[in-house]
Amino acid sequence: MEHAKTRKSLSFIGRHLLATAHQALSNTRQTVVAKMLNVADSTVLRRTEKFPEIMETIDACGVEDFVMRREKKLPLDHYRYLMKVAMEFAKYQLEITNENDAY
């Protein structure tokens, strides 16, 4: 059971890395990327065909996420704390709404 779960999470991480890489490329014009690499525009698209294999390799090496410039990642325990606080706040809001509906 545990092994199947691991394979599934590795597959998810690989797809996530691939989507992140494609998003980064789509946020920057192909011409700009080509100029930065000093290659033709068509070369950039040809290189993206290799993304799936590259991301699977990166995933197998243990990389779980990319951080883009000016992007900040929260540690998992901070994220869990924020989610806990948000859920408690939503619970209180629901209780207040239900009390107001009773009147």
Side-chain angles (χ1 to χ4, degrees), residues 2 14 26 35-36 39-40 47 65-67 90 102:
E2 292 175 22
S26 68
K35 284 181 182 177
M36 289 171 31
V39 295
R47 288 182 180 188
D65 206 351
F66 292 130
V67 178

Side-chain angles (χ1 to χ4, degrees), residues 5-91:
K5 199 173 190 181
T6 303
R7 272 187 256 125
K8 183 178 179 183
S9 67
L10 288 176
S11 174
F12 170 78
I13 292 169
R15 287 192 311 271
H16 169 70
L17 290 171
L18 180 62
T20 305
H22 279 295
Q23 184 63 41
L25 188 59
S26 68
N27 286 343
T28 309
R29 292 180 57 211
Q30 180 178 330
T31 307
V32 173
V33 174
K35 284 181 182 177
M36 289 171 31
L37 296 173
N38 199 23
V39 295
D41 286 7
S42 60
T43 305
V44 174
L45 283 179
R46 234 183 8 258
R47 288 182 180 188
T48 62
E49 293 171 359
K50 299 176 186 174
F51 276 10
E53 293 85 13
I54 293 169
M55 295 306 152
E56 286 176 3
T57 305
I58 290 172
D59 175 33
C61 292
V63 175
E64 294 184 359
D65 206 351
F66 292 130
V67 178
M68 307 303 290
R69 273 190 213 114
R70 297 178 297 281
E71 186 179 45
K72 183 177 179 183
K73 295 286 181 182
L74 289 175
L76 189 57
D77 57 333
H78 291 183
Y79 178 75
R80 286 182 177 153
Y81 172 76
L82 290 173
M83 288 302 295
K84 180 180 173 185
V85 170
M87 292 189 64
E88 288 176 12
F89 179 75
K91 179 181 150 190

